[in-house]
Amino acid sequence: MNKQFVEDWLNKLKDYWFNKDIESVVSLFKNTTFYQETPFMKPYTNIEEINEEWQYVKNENVQNIDIKLLAIDGYTVIAEWFLKQNDVDYDGIYEIKFNKSLECIYFKSWEMANE
């Protein structure tokens, strides 16, 4: 796995999210068996649950998204993300793991509302 692949994957996530292309966002997670948007919620373990979680984006006023790659260690990625949504700023960290076929299999996020 290399930096270009990871940056391309993160840019797809950002673009699909910003454009509310839910089907394309969810396709990035088709092999994901652990998906957790915050450590305070139960992780999702299948594509149906992940798809249901992403449906909320349709009704949000997504104003800005930025994702910055921080580290790659084997097939594990750490990225920092920034989101402005409904006039509230959020930021956090993603831990993303890929398999040898470069498919996302694990996705965990930590976030904080900056009010």
Side-chain angles (χ1 to χ4, degrees), residues 43-107:
Y44 301 131
T45 58
N46 62 59
I47 194 70
E48 291 81 15
E49 292 172 325
I50 295 168
N51 180 56
E52 189 175 317
E53 174 64 22
W54 273 94
Q55 295 304 314
Y56 81 91
V57 171
K58 292 178 181 177
N59 299 319
E60 300 293 340
N61 178 14
V62 179
Q63 295 156 291
N64 188 46
I65 303 168
D66 193 25
I67 305 173
K68 179 182 174 187
L69 175 61
L70 297 178
I72 301 173
D73 182 14
Y75 292 97
T76 300
V77 171
I78 303 298
E80 185 175 23
W81 58 268
F82 306 91
L83 169 67
K84 184 172 185 116
Q85 179 173 281
N86 302 319
D87 294 320
V88 178
D89 291 320
Y90 300 89
D91 61 51
I93 299 290
Y94 288 144
E95 177 185 16
I96 308 166
K97 296 179 183 180
F98 294 87
N99 61 20
K100 290 183 179 177
S101 299
L102 302 181
E103 300 162 324
C104 176
I105 57 171
Y106 177 99
F107 183 89

Side-chain angles (χ1 to χ4, degrees), residues 22-34:
I22 306 307
E23 185 176 322
S24 294
V25 168
V26 172
S27 75
L28 296 173
F29 301 105
K30 67 180 180 245
N31 294 299
T32 304
T33 57
F34 183 98

